Amino acid sequence: MTPEDQEETQPLLGPPGGSAPLSRRVFLAAFAAALGPLSFGFALGYSSPAIPSLRRAASPALRLDDAAASWFGAIVTLGAAAGGVLGGWLVDRAGRKLSLLLCTVPFVVGFAVITAAQNVWMLLGGRLLTGLACGIASLVAPVYISEISYPSVRGLLGSCVQLMVVIGILLAYLAGWVLEWRWLAVLGCVPASFMMLLTCHMPETPRFLLTRQRRQEATAAMQFLWGSEQVWEEPPVGAEHQGFHLAQLRRPGIYKPFIIGISLMAFQQLSGINAVMFYAETIFEEAKFKDSSLASVIVGVIQVLFTAIAALIMDRAGRRLLLTLSGVVMVFSTSAFGAYFKLSQGGPSNSSHVDLLTPLSMEPASASVGLAWLAVGSMCLFIAGFAVGWGPIPWLLMSEIFPLHVKGMATGVCVLTNWFMAFLVTKEFSSVMEVLRPYGAFWLASAFCIFSVLFTLSCVPETKGKTLEQITAHFEGR
């Protein structure tokens, strides 16, 4: 066994004798970190209520045409891709805590620029800055939470990252009903500001401190988080300088997690989820629903509910089972939604007067009403299926599967992959719907969901109940 292997297999830390920790401040620290995902969920959802308002803006300099609206929705993902690269660099050099603090700055500045915008370029600049913050937060928050959590709650706390994202999206939808786009941007500054204040009082992760040979600070962090002090084995001297080298890609403990992490991020976006959330109202308008904004809120509520359920059962059911179940549900739901568009293609606007709050008994008993509710049911089933598996688990696994000495760079590549794929899907979703027709676009997403299920069954390991060092040892084949 090489010195590198010894570094990754020895237990750097763990709850004493497998017992429960004496302090619950680990949950407070996880909440502080999860305010970052809440902010980037708000940034993702912001475009849905803001775009219709900006299309009607009184000032011609602020009014969005179709091309500008497309960029307004998609440019945040370009910023997030850059933020993923920057976050991967920061998390190893500045540390997990300082990286969390730094990501609050572009959140606040970006929303402030949008609030003060006098033209479209300022709007796009503000969205780019919030996207940069999204990329950093989406990388650092899962890493921070996984490294402060003990195995029995790591699934619960790690899933809260995605839970806060969908709560942020829902908050943007609800606030968009009552707030004009400028005041909605002001509201976007609040979670990041609160995160900055709370994170200042939280410790750095003990694992990061140990790799920097700062044992006394690591002990204090564990006392704060778990209310216990244990004896740990020291990481090898010089481990903090080891870093990543291309030659390490020959090691199974490096290339296997790389393949899994990148593939999970790609499949997550190819399911079409970001396109659905960015253009939720547009999709329901295409489905001929009168109150498309209400439909978007319903989608948001369902996503929050099922993500919360996933978080509660994550450490019992396991990652592989939930990923597989999620993928199967998404296959059927995207196929059914495609079938709706296929069956309604070329017909009259029969469902143009369907109101989601109107009881079925008050609607004419016609096939068009049945088709309209097929669209609602399919979309809700897709959101529920995504929320219990492919929403939270790729981010959770990303934070679990990589060795400490390559975690920053490796998670940066995964986040870059996720947000770059999100940009492509979001930017080109409308074009795909034009070329393949709406039904073809959703059937294509269904095919990707089938591949995601097959990949899960053949390649993704179970990580529930294991320490991070045990997961690394699994990939090394020991």
Side-chain angles (χ1 to χ4, degrees):
M1 186 178 294
T2 67
E4 284 182 359
D5 297 335
Q6 290 175 354
E7 173 200 347
E8 300 303 341
T9 57
Q10 58 191 359
L12 295 182
L13 48 87
S19 61
L22 304 176
S23 172
R24 297 292 178 178
R25 282 192 288 262
V26 63
F27 294 95
L28 179 61
F31 173 75
L35 287 173
L38 177 69
S39 296
F40 91 67
F42 190 92
L44 293 181
Y46 177 82
S47 62
S48 188
I51 286 176
S53 177
L54 287 166
R55 285 183 183 274
R56 302 186 299 267
S59 170
L62 287 169
R63 195 173 303 139
L64 297 182
D65 56 20
D66 289 343
S70 176
W71 276 107
F72 188 82
I75 198 171
V76 68
T77 58
L78 277 185
V85 176
L86 177 60
W89 182 83
L90 281 174
V91 78
D92 276 343
R93 287 159 181 79
R96 282 57 162 155
K97 175 183 174 178
L98 183 56
S99 298
L100 284 172
L101 288 171
L102 290 174
C103 83
T104 63
V105 176
F107 269 130
V108 174
V109 173
F111 278 118
V113 170
I114 293 174
T115 302
Q118 300 299 314
N119 53 58
V120 171
W121 290 108
M122 289 185 70
L123 291 173
L124 295 180
R127 289 286 284 170
L128 189 65
L129 282 173
T130 58
L132 182 72
C134 287
I136 300 173
S138 64
L139 183 148
V140 181
V143 170
Y144 182 88
I145 291 172
S146 74
E147 292 189 3
I148 65 172
S149 304
Y150 44 96
S152 61
V153 298
R154 195 174 62 240
L156 168 66
L157 295 181
S159 299
C160 286
V161 170
Q162 181 69 12
L163 178 61
M164 294 296 270
V165 172
V166 296
I167 289 175
I169 292 172
L170 179 60
L171 177 62
Y173 286 171
L174 293 174
W177 272 2
V178 295
L179 295 178
E180 183 254 353
W181 62 271
R182 288 190 193 271
W183 285 106
L184 196 60
V186 172
L187 180 62
C189 298
V190 175
S193 301
F194 187 44
M195 175 187 174
M196 180 184 294
L197 295 175
L198 192 56
T199 304
C200 285
H201 301 285
M202 298 298 114
E204 179 58 88
T205 73
R207 278 185 172 86
F208 177 79
L209 293 170
L210 283 173
T211 60
R212 294 301 189 268
Q213 306 301 317
R214 292 153 63 181
R215 182 181 178 86
Q216 186 174 359
E217 293 177 58
T219 302
M222 288 302 300
Q223 179 64 41
F224 177 88
L225 293 167
W226 291 4
S228 60
E229 295 181 14
Q230 300 103 274
V231 176
W232 305 296
E233 295 186 43
E234 295 283 359
V237 175
E240 70 272 21
H241 304 299
Q242 196 176 78
F244 172 77
H245 307 286
L246 285 177
Q248 293 177 341
L249 285 175
R250 293 194 296 264
R251 294 176 53 193
I254 305 296
Y255 74 76
K256 287 181 180 178
F258 252 104
I259 293 172
I260 292 172
I262 291 172
S263 299
L264 288 174
M265 292 303 183
F267 281 128
Q268 185 192 63
Q269 293 303 325
L270 289 172
S271 70
I273 183 60
N274 262 357
V276 170
M277 299 313 297
F278 275 132
Y279 301 116
E281 295 188 17
T282 305
I283 288 174
F284 275 91
E285 287 172 2
E286 186 73 21
K288 307 183 183 74
F289 281 94
K290 180 173 65 177
D291 197 344
S292 59
S293 61
L294 175 60
S296 299
V297 171
I298 291 174
V299 165
V301 170
I302 292 172
Q303 196 170 27
V304 169
L305 175 63
F306 280 89
T307 304
I309 292 173
L312 293 174
I313 66 175
M314 186 69 66
D315 289 306
R316 297 188 184 93
R319 284 61 155 162
R320 273 172 56 91
L321 175 61
L322 290 178
L323 272 179
T324 304
L325 176 64
S326 172
V328 170
V329 170
M330 290 194 299
V331 168
F332 284 105
S333 57
T334 50
S335 298
F337 204 80
Y340 162 78
F341 281 114
K342 179 65 174 177
L343 293 172
S344 62
Q345 183 184 38
S349 301
N350 295 323
S351 59
S352 59
H353 300 293
V354 173
D355 190 329
L356 292 178
L357 295 179
T358 304
L360 280 174
S361 59
M362 296 179 62
E363 294 291 331
S366 64
S368 63
V369 175
L371 282 179
W373 284 101
L374 172 64
V376 171
S378 300
M379 183 62 70
C380 292
L381 186 63
F382 173 83
I383 295 297
F386 180 85
V388 298
W390 280 93
I393 295 178
W395 298 104
L396 174 60
L397 285 173
M398 178 195 74
S399 69
E400 293 179 324
I401 61 179
F402 293 110
L404 283 173
H405 68 282
V406 301
K407 184 167 283 188
M409 188 281 304
T411 52
V413 172
C414 288
V415 171
L416 174 63
T417 301
N418 185 283
W419 287 107
F420 180 69
M421 294 298 297
F423 169 75
L424 288 181
V425 172
T426 306
K427 187 72 175 69
E428 301 303 326
F429 181 68
S430 299
S431 300
V432 171
M433 290 185 75
E434 289 178 7
V435 173
L436 298 180
R437 311 294 301 218
Y439 65 85
F442 281 96
W443 285 345
L444 179 62
S446 180
F448 284 123
C449 292
I450 292 173
F451 287 125
S452 72
V453 172
L454 296 176
F455 178 80
T456 299
L457 294 173
S458 60
C459 299
V460 178
E462 183 53 71
T463 61
K464 72 169 182 176
K466 298 178 181 179
T467 66
L468 300 183
E469 292 73 32
Q470 288 171 336
I471 296 169
T472 298
H474 165 81
F475 285 115
E476 291 284 1
R478 298 184 303 275

